[in-house]
């Protein structure tokens, strides 16, 4: 695994800044260019450390699948952010030609096997990819990201059972972001209500289960490095619970005709009226927290950190400009990938 020297730590902060700025510009599109985004978008601000810490632990030949909250992963893997933004805008120059939108990004050339708008659907698909990797015998590992809500799906139990039985080279990453849409995790999961880590679910499938602070990219990297090494050695899967707090609402509001789509306030405020909870979560925002730690430890200066943020802003402004200026798909292409 790559050593976490200063250059690697700066790389991690850079990727976190890029994810954050991409999604800030995506959310800003709803006000700046009303009507350009026509469907659902689901930001992952708060998850940047979890995403970057996880992907820092894999090799270029490895693969991954994730949920519809999917923008951060291809950014870290090197996917063109202009093509990503254009895809969210439904444009012809988008990553998938405008057919997928925000929830269905895919870039196989980077090992990013895709996403799904269906809760838990990616778990058996990623397990199948791990089975294929085992058959190829090229040392590939597959990462499978999903939310805590997906752990109640039958596909979760079926997939983890067969992965453990066949010792598949896969790491399951349960992203516990404190909310399942508008429901607090303690209200919808018996393990959480009992005060247990959700990683305890791994015991039912005879695999290691580990919980980690998903706001700390180094802690995530350490846990994921061990899990990835275990999978690559042929010792089977691991279930990692990455705990963080989603800092945006679950997704944008699909408004009635004539009313622009927009983002509501976070569910802690909008649904439960608990601004104190949300403000406390903001104080633990992983992006400024990691920046502060690197500056304090002398890994980079405040000026260098500012330059990294400025570069991320410039990159994502160019992505927005590209997406806005790109053409819509041709009407005659509407049935291009439809088969009878």
């Amino acid at each position: 695994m790559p050593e976490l020297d200063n250059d690697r730590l700066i790389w991690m902060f850079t990727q976190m800044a890029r994810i954050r700025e991409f999604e800030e510009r995506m959310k800003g599109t709803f006000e700046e260019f009303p009507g350009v985004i026509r469907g659902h978008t689901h930001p992952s601000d708060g998850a940047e450390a979890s995403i970057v810490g996880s992907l820092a632990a894999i090799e270029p030949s490895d693969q991954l699948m994730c949920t519809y909250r999917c923008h951060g992963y291809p950014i870290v893997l090197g996917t063109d952010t202009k093509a990503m933004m254009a895809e969210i805008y439904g444009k012809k120059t988008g990553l998938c030609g405008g057919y997928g939108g925000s929830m269905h990004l895919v870039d196989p050339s980077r090992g990013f096997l895709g996403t799904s708008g269906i809760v838990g659907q990616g778990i058996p698909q990623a397990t199948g990819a791990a089975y294929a990797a085992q058959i190829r015998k090229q040392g590939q590992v597959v990462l499978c990201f999903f939310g805590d809500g997906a752990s109640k799906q039958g596909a979760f139990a079926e997939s983890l059972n067969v992965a453990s039985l066949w010792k598949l080279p896969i790491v399951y990453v349960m992203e516990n972001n404190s909310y399942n849409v508008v429901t607090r995790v303690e209200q919808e999961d018996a393990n959480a209500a009992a005060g247990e880590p959700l990683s305890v679910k791994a015991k039912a499938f005879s695999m290691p289960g580990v919980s980690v602070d998903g706001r700390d990219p180094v802690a995530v990297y350490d846990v994921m490095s061990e899990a990835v090494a275990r999978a690559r050695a042929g010792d089977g899967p691991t279930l990692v619970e990455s705990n963080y707090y989603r800092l945006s609402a679950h997704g944008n509001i699909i408004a009635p005709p004539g009313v622009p789509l927009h983002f509501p306030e976070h569910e802690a405020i909008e649904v439960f009226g608990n601004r104190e909870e949300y403000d406390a979560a903001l104080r633990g925002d992983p992006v400024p927290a990691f920046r502060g730690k690197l500056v304090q430890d002398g890994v980079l200066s405040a000026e260098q950190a500012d330059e990294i943020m400025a570069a991320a802003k410039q990159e994502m402004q160019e992505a927005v400009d590209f997406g806005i200026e790109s053409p819509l798909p041709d009407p005659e292409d509407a049935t291009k990938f439809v088969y009878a």
Side-chain angles (χ1 to χ4, degrees):
M1 296 299 168
E3 181 184 353
L4 289 187
D5 55 17
N6 285 358
D7 287 343
R8 193 64 172 170
L9 291 171
I10 293 171
W11 175 87
M12 293 172 82
F13 172 66
T14 301
Q15 302 314 310
M16 290 171 65
R18 294 176 69 230
I19 297 171
R20 174 62 58 87
E21 188 58 31
F22 181 92
E23 296 200 313
E24 286 299 307
R25 293 313 310 272
M26 178 191 73
K27 289 190 292 182
T29 299
F30 288 99
E31 294 184 5
E32 190 176 356
F33 302 104
V36 169
I37 298 178
R38 296 169 175 81
H40 279 292
T41 61
H42 302 84
S44 58
D45 40 349
E48 293 89 352
S50 179
I51 294 168
V52 173
S54 295
L55 300 195
I58 63 173
E59 300 293 339
S61 61
D62 293 335
Q63 300 175 319
L64 66 97
M65 294 191 73
C66 68
T67 71
Y68 48 79
R69 203 176 300 282
C70 58
H71 312 123
Y73 310 91
I75 288 174
V76 178
L77 292 173
T79 298
D80 182 5
T81 50
K82 292 180 180 178
M84 287 179 59
M85 195 69 80
E87 183 63 33
I88 293 171
Y89 293 172
K91 297 301 185 72
K92 187 175 183 177
T93 56
L95 188 61
C96 305
Y99 288 93
S102 169
M103 293 196 291
H104 302 100
L105 302 180
V106 60
D107 189 355
S109 68
R110 303 283 180 175
F112 187 58
L113 300 180
T115 64
S116 173
I118 300 174
V119 173
Q121 179 177 311
I123 303 176
Q125 293 175 335
T127 303
Y131 183 40
Q134 186 184 66
I135 292 172
R136 284 194 297 268
K137 296 181 180 180
Q138 296 175 351
Q140 286 177 308
V141 171
V142 177
L143 302 190
C144 176
F145 296 87
F146 53 91
D148 57 274
S151 67
K152 270 79 72 182
Q153 296 278 15
F156 169 84
E158 295 157 0
S159 298
L160 270 67
N161 185 67
V162 75
S164 182
L165 183 65
W166 294 347
K167 294 189 181 301
L168 298 183
I170 186 168
V171 181
Y172 297 100
V173 186
M174 181 195 304
E175 299 174 311
N176 183 353
N177 63 20
S178 304
Y179 277 84
N180 188 349
V181 188
V182 300
T183 308
R184 283 282 309 177
V185 65
E186 294 86 355
Q187 296 174 306
E188 52 91 19
D189 195 292
N191 293 95
E196 295 179 312
L198 299 190
S199 58
V200 74
K201 297 173 187 283
K203 291 183 179 180
F205 309 102
S206 302
M207 69 175 68
V210 186
S211 294
V212 64
D213 183 355
R215 300 167 301 175
D216 181 346
V218 175
V220 173
Y221 171 82
D222 289 341
V223 166
M224 289 297 293
S225 292
E226 185 174 340
V228 168
R230 182 175 187 273
R232 206 179 306 279
D235 294 329
T238 301
L239 174 63
V240 176
E241 177 195 12
S242 181
N243 294 287
Y244 59 88
Y245 192 100
R246 170 168 52 78
L247 295 175
S248 282
H250 171 71
N252 60 280
I253 296 293
I254 298 295
V259 179
L261 282 67
H262 67 280
F263 266 89
E265 289 193 282
H266 188 278
E267 288 75 16
I269 303 167
E270 192 92 357
V271 178
F272 297 100
N274 192 344
R275 184 170 290 276
E276 291 78 12
E277 174 190 302
Y278 182 69
D279 288 343
L282 279 180
R283 291 193 289 272
D285 186 334
V287 177
F290 193 52
R291 171 197 165 120
K293 177 173 173 51
L294 295 186
V295 171
Q296 180 179 349
D297 293 348
V299 174
L300 78 171
S301 66
E303 292 75 18
Q304 288 173 311
D306 289 341
E307 290 173 1
I308 289 171
M309 295 300 299
K313 289 180 182 293
Q314 177 63 32
E315 177 188 359
M316 303 318 164
Q317 179 61 56
E318 293 174 1
V320 169
D321 293 343
F322 177 81
I324 293 296
E325 294 166 4
S326 293
L328 289 166
D330 298 324
E332 56 268 26
D333 288 341
T335 58
K336 187 175 181 179
F337 299 108
V338 178
Y339 299 91

